[in-house]
Amino acid sequence: MLDRPYEWAPPTVADARRKAAREALVEIIGATRRQHVDVIACAGDLFDRRTVAPTTMQWLTVALRSATTPVLIAPGNCDFVGPLGGYSRHEWPDNVIIFDTDRFTAVDVAGGVTIWGAAHTEAHRPRAFFDRFEVDRDGVNLALFHGAERSGVEREPMMEACALFDESAVEAVGFDHALVGHYQQAHFGWMHTYPGAPIAHELGNGATGTAVLITLADDGTIERAQLELSSPALHDLEVDLTGAKSARDAVKRAGASLAECAGIVRLRLNGRVAPDILLQRDDFVGLVPSADDLLLDWEAEVDVDELVEEQTVRGQFVRDVLASRDLSDERRQRVLLIGLRALGGSDVLEGPR
């Protein structure tokens, strides 16, 4: 999705992800040339309708024109067809066909293949596209749309369902197969295919993005091959620092978790840590290729089990903070960390971020 806002990311990371989205599209177009495909099919969410910039749309039209092969687009819930939207405000190349109604429309493709596309015409469409529709021609008929197949809700529960459908409906209305967009992970169903997102959008999605090459045999059977794209992955890692004896020990634990990761990483440091173990962001930056590849969250708690028994100023401070009813758990941990480090004479008062 072009010009996705990436609310979770700092500006440098968000800009890098948007750049990676463009590069992924260029990579897909290059793969279609090498594979000599007959048509490129996009099942929606090509861009974010709320945030896409005019310059991005101009770049997109040039990129799609360079494909030379026909490009079929079935807009989704994020790039739905409507007034003032990207599809209606720009002139598209002759090789691009945009389905602009929520009823299936047929486009003839080489070799007796028909692709039927339908578009989202609103941001929130609950109903399936198959209602009151039936294929009325011979040959191989493929559906192209953006929607949530029911079993995918279990695979990706964080994705908001739209145009919900049952896989059995694909065959029931006469389609041979459905090419569908929505879920971010690739999935090959019996009667439908999700290519997955060309780049990972959310932390924890891990692997780089994908596209799918569909090959139709003369007898109508379908072969599918997943094409791995080179976009940077997104990782969400958790490191337990409980029992770490030193800052070096803590960094070593993080390094072991990062050993197999490439791309952008959110490193969440948790567990129980002694207040005199001083960690800073720079301690962890060297574990990744660049500072922009690391998002650091300090979620650790201060280990005060021994301190709470001390008959010292430090011990009394700990007891007072633990007894306070005016502090949230998160606030209490921050007060303990800052206070104990200050009492120890350190000028490193906060956890690394």
Side-chain angles (χ1 to χ4, degrees):
M1 185 190 299
L2 300 173
D3 281 3
R4 190 182 178 104
Y6 295 106
E7 291 93 345
W8 54 266
T12 54
V13 174
D15 287 344
R17 297 312 291 174
R18 287 188 281 269
K19 180 174 182 289
R22 289 194 182 198
E23 292 171 348
L25 180 56
V26 171
E27 190 173 353
I28 290 172
I29 292 173
T32 64
R33 294 196 190 101
R34 293 190 299 273
Q35 298 289 343
H36 305 290
V37 304
D38 294 301
V39 64
I40 299 173
C42 172
D45 286 3
L46 180 56
F47 53 83
D48 190 310
R49 194 178 192 269
R50 302 166 301 161
T51 56
V52 67
T55 52
T56 299
M57 297 302 297
Q58 293 165 8
W59 175 89
L60 177 60
T61 58
V62 172
L64 295 182
R65 182 181 294 113
S66 73
T68 64
T69 191
V71 179
L72 307 185
I73 302 173
N77 58 313
C78 289
D79 59 346
F80 67 91
V81 173
L84 305 180
Y87 291 116
S88 59
R89 298 183 66 178
H90 294 83
E91 184 175 347
W92 294 88
D94 293 339
N95 64 313
V96 176
I97 297 175
I98 298 167
F99 297 101
D100 57 5
T101 75
D102 61 0
R103 299 293 295 168
F104 281 114
T105 303
V107 172
D108 293 328
V109 184
V113 177
T114 302
I115 294 181
W116 300 74
H120 283 252
T121 57
E122 55 189 337
H124 305 285
R125 178 191 174 93
R127 62 194 182 283
F129 288 101
F130 299 117
D131 296 346
R132 299 183 302 279
F133 175 82
E134 186 174 348
V135 173
D136 61 359
R137 63 180 64 187
D138 296 329
V140 177
N141 291 276
L142 306 177
L144 177 66
F145 64 95
H146 191 93
E149 197 274 325
R150 288 187 187 276
S151 68
V153 176
E154 297 181 3
R155 293 193 307 273
E156 299 186 43
M158 298 303 292
M159 294 290 293
E160 182 180 355
C162 66
L164 197 64
F165 71 97
D166 292 308
E167 185 177 47
S168 59
V170 177
E171 186 176 32
V173 301
F175 286 121
D176 295 285
H177 201 78
L179 312 176
V180 199
H182 182 62
Y183 294 118
Q184 296 189 23
Q185 301 297 322
H187 176 73
F188 291 0
W190 169 54
M191 291 292 295
H192 73 285
T193 299
Y194 282 99
I199 70 168
H201 293 306
E202 301 297 335
L203 287 161
N205 279 4
T208 55
T210 60
V212 173
L213 177 66
I214 302 286
T215 303
L216 296 176
D218 292 338
D219 61 359
T221 57
I222 293 176
E223 293 184 2
R224 296 169 285 187
Q226 196 167 326
L227 304 178
E228 298 290 342
L229 303 178
S230 60
S231 55
L234 295 178
H235 301 280
D236 189 15
L237 300 180
E238 187 174 316
V239 177
D240 187 351
L241 300 183
T242 301
K245 304 301 183 183
S246 64
R248 182 177 180 180
D249 185 14
V251 174
K252 185 177 180 181
R253 293 188 186 191
S257 296
L258 288 167
E260 301 299 324
C261 292
I264 296 171
V265 179
R266 179 173 69 178
L267 191 61
R268 294 184 288 123
L269 304 174
N270 58 30
R272 294 172 62 82
V273 184
D276 57 348
I277 294 181
L278 305 180
L279 294 166
Q280 301 184 66
R281 176 180 172 81
D282 287 347
D283 296 329
F284 298 92
V285 167
L287 302 175
V288 293
S290 75
D292 288 341
D293 293 324
L294 179 66
L295 306 177
L296 199 58
D297 284 353
W298 177 260
E299 301 173 354
E301 297 182 359
V302 183
D303 188 351
V304 295
D305 288 350
E306 295 182 6
L307 301 182
V308 74
E309 301 297 334
E310 285 187 0
Q311 298 305 310
T312 61
V313 172
R314 185 171 67 168
Q316 187 60 52
F317 165 74
V318 170
R319 289 189 290 274
D320 289 344
V321 173
L322 293 178
S324 174
R325 297 182 178 180
D326 297 329
L327 298 173
S328 65
D329 290 342
E330 181 179 353
R331 184 74 171 174
R332 179 176 287 106
Q333 288 299 318
R334 187 164 184 263
V335 170
L336 284 169
L337 182 65
I338 293 174
L340 289 171
R341 287 184 172 180
L343 287 170
S346 173
D347 56 359
V348 180
L349 301 182
E350 295 276 9
R353 297 189 182 279

